[in-house]
Amino acid sequence: MSYCLGIKTSDGIVLASDSRTSAGADQVNTCQKMHSFVIPGERVLVAVTTGNLSLSQSVFTLLRQDFDQGRGLAAAPTFYDAVREVGEKIRRVAELDQEALEKAKLRFNVHFILGGQIKGSEPELYLIYPVGNPIRSTPDSPFLQIGESKYGKPILDRGISYETTPIEQAAKYALLSLDSTMRSNATVGPPVDLMLYRNDTLEVTHRRRFQGHDSDWMELHMRWEQALRKAIHELPEVNYDGPAVSRNL
Amino acid sequence: MSYCLGIKTSDGIVLASDSRTSAGADQVNTCQKMHSFVIPGERVLVAVTTGNLSLSQSVFTLLRQDFDQGRGLAAAPTFYDAVREVGEKIRRVAELDQEALEKAKLRFNVHFILGGQIKGSEPELYLIYPVGNPIRSTPDSPFLQIGESKYGKPILDRGISYETTPIEQAAKYALLSLDSTMRSNATVGPPVDLMLYRNDTLEVTHRRRFQGHDSDWMELHMRWEQALRKAIHELPEVNYDGPAVSRNL
């Protein structure tokens, strides 16, 4: 498995990804899962991906070929068109590989999150399913997750608000969501890639890769664990004087 | 789904369970999943369960019948024997129901956690699988989870230490683990049942049921969310001056 997420609040977008890729527990590698397609001042499109690495690499290869020739993601007039472009490439790869995978009892499994902005339209954040169909982040659902998403969901549910969470804070939530997942699940691992996009800048000014031994990462991890323990310690003691569990069935 | 957990630290045991039971999204009910078998001063055995409610109820019915006649859990000479007694009852119910369930394409799915102490031996915490085989909590694995366990695992991973977590603190972790799960997953729901056992007391002195609207529960939930937001706010800002993500593949 792997784990990626996108957060969209009122002032920007954050994308983050792990880099663990494995085919079984005895074949563990790392691979960057964040890819950007940028024409500065005109469009910023950043994608993260989970699922079968062979499939996502094929999709990115096709997207990059087009982009480098000024087509596809380089030319899509709206963000929705760009999202559909990713969906089309997924379907192209499905034509190439799905039948053979299913014969081998493997699932055609690949998910994408695409975030960014095209000049003249609003910033957007989408999730694209293996079938190629997309869903969009809205103020009611300000984050999207793909891959091993359960461990890192509670902290996002508790903290992220489209209206009130500054995008710099959202970046911390994204890192903590990934840290929680890596702490609890061995199939998600470093390096962690992070990208922060501020609305209407039309360029990527904030990006960062954290290796597992990165001192900034270690400090975040340790300070967070200390803060959690302190917060729990300061919660009121459990009151056992309320209604009790009945003894039997 | 549902979610239950047990924590064993050096001075006691905590068990906690949700009460959501559902057969599909349109048939949602509540049912207590914590059951105790106690002979004060002699033995305390408390079980929580997830999985098919029909199966767990059958297992508890068989266990209770024996217990009320001074057999089974009432007579098991060691805690391991008591755990095996639960396993035997699971196997008995499997003989009754497994074939019919599988014909209907349903899984024979039922899990138990059993915690407590029998006079003359150490306190113990075990998980018992649908096949009837058990695993035991150890100082290296001081908590056991069954059911929808991923959402509530990070907080336990970060905070619970067999040697250093007082059992009163462990009770807070158990409640927060359940709260995180209920916040993020609609198939886990209140009331929450909590039991705290202090080593060598051989009676249950601390138990509590929290309804969703319980004022103690609401206070815990709100203070925790506030504490988390404050803790995240106080973390250092993300440093984007380190190594960056490479632009392309």
Side-chain angles (χ1 to χ4, degrees), chain B residues 9-31:
Chain B
T9 70
S10 56
D11 57 353
I13 288 171
V14 161
L15 288 167
S17 54
D18 86 315
S19 301
R20 179 67 45 89
T21 164
S22 58
D26 54 353
Q27 194 183 337
V28 175
N29 287 299
T30 65
C31 181

Side-chain angles (χ1 to χ4, degrees), chain B residues 225-243:
Chain B
E225 294 214 352
Q226 287 165 0
L228 277 186
R229 289 213 190 93
K230 182 163 168 282
I232 286 175
H233 195 76
E234 289 171 356
L235 284 178
E237 294 302 312
V238 177
N239 171 14
Y240 293 92
D241 294 333

